Amino acid sequence: SLLTRFQQISVKHVYREGNRCADKLAKDGCISEVDFVVLDQPPSSELCNLLFSDVVGMYSLSCLANTLPTLAY
C-alpha cells in the first residue's frame, strides 16, 4: 500500500548478496515489535561493516574473482 502513495516508482530485483545492508535491515524489521523506525545512525557495528563493504564494492570484487578463470600451475 505504500507504493500506491507515490506518483512514480521503479522496483528492481537485486540479489541479497548485492545489498547486504538492505537484507540485514529487512531481517531485523521482521523481528521488530514496532511498525516504523527512523534510523539516524547505523543500529549496530555489524551494519556499519556491511555498509563499508557495500561502499568499497566487496560483493562486486567477490563476483569478479569468482568469474575469473583459474590458473593452472
Side-chain angles (χ1 to χ4, degrees), residues 2-3 5 19-21 32 34 40-41 43 52 56-57 64:
L2 180 62
L3 294 177
R5 297 178 184 219
N19 191 344
R20 294 179 301 154
C21 295
S32 176
V34 295
D40 59 353
Q41 61 185 11
F52 178 75
V56 297
L64 178 62

Side-chain angles (χ1 to χ4, degrees), residues 27-56:
K27 287 178 181 175
D28 290 350
C30 287
I31 60 172
S32 176
E33 295 184 17
V34 295
D35 292 334
F36 189 82
V37 176
V38 175
L39 302 173
D40 59 353
Q41 61 185 11
S44 68
S45 61
E46 180 183 2
L47 189 61
C48 285
N49 291 335
L50 292 174
L51 285 167
F52 178 75
S53 294
D54 279 353
V55 167
V56 297

Side-chain angles (χ1 to χ4, degrees), residues 15-29:
Y15 291 103
R16 69 172 163 242
E17 296 87 1
N19 191 344
R20 294 179 301 154
C21 295
D23 183 54
K24 170 78 172 124
L25 289 170
K27 287 178 181 175
D28 290 350

Side-chain angles (χ1 to χ4, degrees), residues 68-73:
L68 293 176
T70 305
L71 298 175
Y73 292 99

